[in-house]
Amino acid sequence: MKVKKRQHRMEHQVKAYAFIAPSLLILTVFVFIPLAGAIGISLMNIDIYMKNISFAGIANYIKTFQDERVANATFHTFYFALLEVPLQMIVALLLLMFMLRNTKLHKLLRTVFYLPYVCSMTAVSIMWSMLLNTHYGMLPYLLGKIGITMPNMLSSTTWAMPTVIFVTVWKGFGYTLTILSAAALGVSESLYEAAEIDGATGLQKFFYVTIPGIRDTIGFCVVTTLIMALQVFDQIYVMTGGGPQYATETLVGYIYNRGFQTAPYDLGYASAIAVYLFCMIAIITVILRKYAFPQGGDET
C-alpha cells in the first residue's frame, strides 16, 4: 500500500514538473543565466570590445557607492516610482468604483482604457513628445488660443519628471484597472447583499466589501507595477534622454549610458550598478510581499 502511494505521489510530481518545465527553461535562459553573467562581469574590468579584461573584485561596487550620478539616478528612480505607482493605483481604483458592473458599456470602457497599454511605450512617448512640443504641439497651440502659455515641459527641470510620470500613468492604468476589475467581479454577491441589508451605501460597499475582497490583487498590482517603475527606461530615453541636467536620469538609463553610450563603455561598472538595482528591487519586493501584502488577504 505504501509503495502504491509513493508511486502515485511520484507520478503527480513528475506531471507537475513537466508542466512547469517550459517556464523554468525560459526563466533559466532569460533570467538566471543573464543574472549570473551580470554578477560575473561586475567583478571584472571589461569594455564593450572585450579588450584589456582584468579582475576588479569589488572595486566596481565601491565605485558605485561613491558615484554622485548613481546617487542622483537612485533618487530619481524612487521619485518616479513613489509617485507613478500610487497615482496609477488611485486612478484605477477610482474608475473601478464606477465600473463594478459587467455591462456592455463597462466592458467597452475597460477595453478603451486598456488600449494604450498594448501600444509600444516608444510610440506613446513619441506621440506625447509631439503633443507637448511648444513649437508645433497641439496642446500648447490649443492653450495658446485661450491665452495660456504652456512652458516647455520636457526641457524644464521642474516639470520633466512629472510629465514622464503622467504619460506612464496614462499608458498603464488600463492594465491595472483590468486586473482589478477581474478580481472585483469575483467577489461574492452575498457580501454585497449583506452590506446592503445593513444599510451600506455604494461608497461604503466599495471600501468595506470590494477593497478587502481584492486585497491580494491590489498587492499583486502594487508589487508588479513598482518593479516595472524601478526599471523605467523607454519613456525617459525617448522623451528627455535623462535631461535636462540629469533631472530625469534613472538607474537603468545610467546603466545604459555607462555600458553602451559613453566611452570607455565600461560594462563591468554598468553591471555592478545593475546588480545594485537588482538587490534593491529584490529587497523591496520581499518586504512588500511579507509585511504590506501577505498572501491570503482576499475575503471572497
Side-chain angles (χ1 to χ4, degrees):
M1 193 68 177
K2 290 183 178 179
V3 173
K4 287 184 178 180
K5 285 184 177 180
R6 193 179 299 111
Q7 288 177 343
H8 187 65
R9 192 182 302 113
M10 286 294 294
E11 288 176 3
H12 277 285
Q13 289 178 345
V14 169
K15 289 178 182 178
Y17 283 119
F19 276 112
I20 66 174
S23 297
L24 282 176
L25 179 62
I26 292 172
L27 282 172
T28 301
V29 173
F30 294 103
V31 177
F32 299 135
I33 292 176
L35 176 60
I39 294 172
I41 293 172
S42 70
L43 300 174
M44 309 292 290
N45 289 318
I46 182 173
D47 61 22
I48 198 172
Y49 304 109
M50 303 296 175
K51 296 179 180 179
N52 302 319
I53 300 174
S54 61
F55 182 71
I58 63 171
N60 286 325
Y61 291 97
I62 294 173
K63 185 179 178 182
T64 296
F65 289 101
Q66 294 176 340
D67 191 339
E68 290 184 0
R69 280 185 66 179
V70 170
N72 175 73
T74 302
F75 171 78
H76 288 121
T77 298
F78 278 96
Y79 172 33
F80 175 89
L82 293 178
L83 284 181
E84 191 269 335
V85 175
L87 283 174
Q88 187 170 147
M89 293 302 302
I90 290 169
V91 171
L93 287 170
L94 285 175
L95 289 172
L96 177 66
M97 191 185 304
F98 301 101
M99 297 173 61
L100 284 176
R101 295 180 182 177
N102 203 26
T103 64
K104 290 183 179 180
L105 175 60
H106 292 148
K107 289 179 180 178
L108 175 62
L109 289 175
R110 282 196 289 269
T111 302
V112 171
F113 291 143
Y114 188 77
L115 284 176
Y117 182 77
V118 302
C119 298
S120 163
M121 179 57 84
T122 301
V124 168
S125 300
I126 292 172
M127 179 192 75
W128 276 102
S129 295
M130 294 175 69
L131 286 173
L132 295 169
N133 190 285
T134 53
H135 298 294
Y136 53 79
M138 181 181 292
L139 290 179
Y141 173 77
L142 293 176
L143 290 174
K145 287 294 185 180
I146 58 176
I148 300 175
T149 301
M150 184 176 176
N152 193 335
M153 307 291 281
L154 298 177
S155 297
S156 167
T157 55
T158 302
W159 292 107
M161 185 61 87
T163 302
V164 173
I165 292 171
F166 165 77
V167 172
T168 307
V169 172
W170 178 86
K171 182 184 184 299
F173 80 89
Y175 167 80
T176 304
L177 175 62
T178 302
I179 300 295
L180 294 178
S181 297
L185 292 173
V187 176
S188 176
E189 283 293 331
S190 62
L191 296 175
Y192 291 109
E193 292 171 0
E196 194 168 342
I197 292 171
D198 289 338
T201 63
L203 192 62
Q204 288 173 327
K205 285 190 286 185
F206 180 77
F207 280 105
Y208 295 108
V209 178
T210 306
I211 295 296
I214 62 172
R215 186 175 182 275
D216 277 352
T217 307
I218 292 174
F220 167 79
C221 290
V222 169
V223 171
T224 54
T225 306
L226 181 61
I227 290 171
M228 291 188 289
L230 291 172
Q231 299 175 80
V232 60
F233 174 72
D234 298 24
Q235 55 270 54
I236 288 178
Y237 181 77
V238 173
M239 297 180 74
T240 67
Q245 301 175 27
Y246 306 120
T248 59
E249 185 173 65
T250 58
L251 283 168
V252 176
Y254 188 45
I255 290 167
Y256 174 76
N257 180 278
R258 291 306 302 258
F260 303 100
Q261 200 171 35
T262 303
Y265 311 112
D266 194 343
L267 291 182
Y269 184 44
S271 296
I273 303 173
V275 173
Y276 160 73
L277 175 60
F278 167 78
C279 291
M280 283 200 305
I281 293 175
I283 292 170
I284 291 170
T285 302
V286 169
I287 291 173
L288 285 176
R289 295 304 294 166
K290 186 173 179 62
Y291 297 107
F293 303 103
Q295 289 295 314
D298 285 7
E299 298 176 5
T300 58

